[in-house]
Amino acid sequence: MASLTLTGIRKTFPNGTEVLKGIDIAIDDGTFLILVGGSGCGKSTLLNIVAGLETLTSGEVKIGDRVVNALPPKDRDIAMVFQSYALYPSMSVRENIAFGLSIRKVPKSEQDKTIARVADMLQIGHLLDRKPRQLSGGQRQRVAMARALARQPSMFLFDEPLSNLDAKLRVEVRSEIKLMHHRLGATIVYVTHDQIEAMTLGDRIAVMKDGIVQQFGSPQEIYDSPANLFVAGFIGSPSMNFLKGKLASLNGRGLVFEAEHRGKKTPLPLKNAPTGARGWIGREVVLGLRPERIANEDSHSYDAVIDCHIDLVEPTGPDTHVFTQLNGAKVCGRVHPRTPCREGGSMPLAFDLSQAVLFDPASESRIA
């Protein structure tokens, strides 16, 4: 396996559109890197540059200790798994897995051992003599993964491999990919627009927007301490709640966020406010609070309780999402599924502000 270092990666298409605007990412050998972002953010273009399928305008791609800018894909020692599976329809599963080995003139006995190994790992041994048209979407994706595994490359690249699968299969194949990473200790670069995939699979996540990495870090770091409003709203389901209001001093000691509810000021005390927040007293900020921090009074510690009018109730099974209004903004909370609540009614919601995040409304950056 190998490390990956991307330095100053820029890509401008012939029509003048700049897709990547100076990407700097470095991961160690064996890391599972997620490139996540909405459509058009440049994540697939960046993956294709790593693969050698797309030329870069400037910058450096280094795999292990080799700069590979000028190397064709076949010489980069990578394997790629595509969204569309890219299986040969006239070949059996066995032949599809063996194709790359045959091209490299690997002896037949060694091919058979490799096919048996990867088929056992991905539980497709019983499918080896079938054609792709006889397989489900999840089975086809496993075959595509097996073909990549058979090559034993230094790095695996995945381009939205689960987007064609239904919800149940996505969970199953996602688990297979994570288990594969644990077994092999493989270096993986994985592109997705799905933030749940990003959070569950990655060791490191690069959140992208408009050709720029907005934040690069561990899943928990990005979830708990988002760098800006975009990252905070993109990562997490349901997404983070945002409230605009002013900061005020609490008896000269702590800080409070001045919310407005039903025409009255409702102070929300910020016990763990960042050091830089004191400079924002009397100024407008954006307060970010995850839905799980707005819940039943008896569910966890809390800093304030507000009697809220419930606009919408969404049962999910393990919990129930309730939607209300605070400071003129829609707010989502997560309550116990057996909590009595109904649309159009009122209920007390407990606000735990220990994990609240503050943002500068002008720059949209987190206040540290």
Side-chain angles (χ1 to χ4, degrees):
M1 301 301 166
S3 59
L4 174 68
T5 305
L6 305 176
T7 307
I9 302 297
R10 292 184 176 273
K11 174 64 181 180
T12 303
F13 287 125
N15 65 2
T17 302
E18 190 177 22
V19 182
L20 299 175
K21 304 172 183 178
I23 303 294
D24 295 300
I25 294 174
I27 58 170
D28 296 329
D29 179 15
T31 299
F32 199 132
L33 168 66
I34 301 284
L35 304 177
V36 65
S39 298
C41 70
K43 57 188 184 297
S44 290
T45 300
L46 183 59
L47 189 79
N48 287 335
I49 284 174
V50 175
L53 301 174
E54 186 76 63
T55 58
L56 47 74
T57 301
S58 63
E60 181 181 272
V61 178
K62 194 174 183 181
I63 298 177
D65 57 0
R66 294 191 306 162
V67 176
V68 299
N69 288 29
L71 292 181
K74 66 182 180 65
D75 296 328
R76 296 194 180 196
D77 194 22
I78 57 170
M80 195 159 182
V81 179
F82 298 92
Q83 175 182 347
S84 59
Y85 318 133
L87 301 176
Y88 295 101
S90 61
M91 294 183 182
S92 67
V93 168
R94 187 188 309 276
E95 291 166 335
N96 267 283
I97 296 172
F99 183 77
L101 302 175
S102 301
I103 293 295
R104 289 159 51 205
K105 302 189 185 305
V106 173
K108 183 69 166 59
S109 60
E110 192 174 330
Q111 287 187 35
D112 291 341
K113 289 179 183 177
T114 299
I115 292 168
R117 175 177 58 81
V118 298
D120 179 64
M121 182 182 297
L122 294 172
Q123 301 175 30
I124 56 171
H126 61 295
L127 305 175
L128 291 175
D129 296 319
R130 295 188 191 179
K131 297 289 179 65
R133 66 177 179 274
Q134 298 172 299
L135 306 178
S136 69
Q139 290 170 335
R140 291 180 194 180
Q141 196 57 278
R142 284 188 176 96
V143 174
M145 289 165 55
R147 183 175 57 189
L149 282 169
R151 291 190 50 202
Q152 294 185 299
S154 61
M155 185 176 299
F156 293 92
L157 307 180
F158 287 81
D159 190 7
E160 303 209 41
L162 309 185
S163 58
N164 287 336
L165 306 181
D166 63 38
K168 185 173 183 294
L169 279 175
R170 278 202 301 274
V171 174
E172 289 179 6
V173 180
R174 188 174 73 207
S175 297
E176 292 294 339
I177 293 172
K178 190 157 191 172
L179 285 170
M180 180 193 81
H181 178 244
H182 288 163
R183 292 179 190 129
L184 300 179
T187 303
I188 295 176
V189 183
Y190 186 107
V191 162
T192 182
H193 63 274
D194 187 324
Q195 52 87 22
I196 294 177
E197 282 180 35
M199 290 293 293
T200 55
L201 288 174
D203 299 320
R204 306 286 283 173
I205 298 176
V207 183
M208 296 181 64
K209 179 189 177 189
D210 299 333
I212 298 170
V213 174
Q214 302 291 315
Q215 189 170 2
F216 178 58
S218 69
Q220 203 61 49
E221 176 188 354
I222 288 174
Y223 188 81
D224 290 338
S225 303
N228 54 44
L229 284 172
F230 172 78
V231 175
F234 190 85
I235 297 295
S237 181
S239 61
M240 181 178 277
N241 297 300
F242 298 119
L243 301 173
K244 284 187 177 180
K246 288 185 178 180
L247 283 189
S249 177
L250 179 64
N251 301 323
R253 297 191 303 273
L255 295 177
V256 295
F257 176 85
E258 293 183 336
E260 190 169 304
H261 183 60
R262 296 177 177 173
K264 296 180 181 179
K265 284 188 177 181
T266 303
L268 299 177
L270 304 174
K271 295 177 181 175
N272 299 326
T275 305
R278 297 205 68 84
W280 288 79
I281 292 175
R283 299 166 63 187
E284 189 170 89
V285 298
V286 176
L287 180 140
L289 194 62
R290 295 286 180 193
E292 61 268 24
R293 299 294 169 177
I294 304 172
N296 309 74
E297 287 182 76
D298 59 351
S299 60
H300 52 62
S301 61
Y302 54 86
D303 301 298
V305 177
I306 301 175
D307 190 52
C308 296
H309 180 273
I310 304 303
D311 299 321
L312 182 67
V313 176
E314 290 184 344
T316 66
D319 53 27
T320 295
H321 299 159
V322 293
F323 294 85
T324 185
Q325 294 279 328
L326 190 62
N327 265 29
K330 184 170 75 171
V331 171
C332 175
R334 299 173 71 167
V335 301
H336 191 278
R338 292 185 178 83
T339 301
C341 55
R342 60 181 179 82
E343 294 169 359
S346 292
M347 68 175 295
L349 289 176
F351 286 69
D352 173 9
L353 297 152
S354 61
Q355 297 293 319
V357 188
L358 298 176
F359 300 93
D360 177 347
S363 69
E364 298 191 352
S365 297
R366 177 168 52 90
I367 297 170

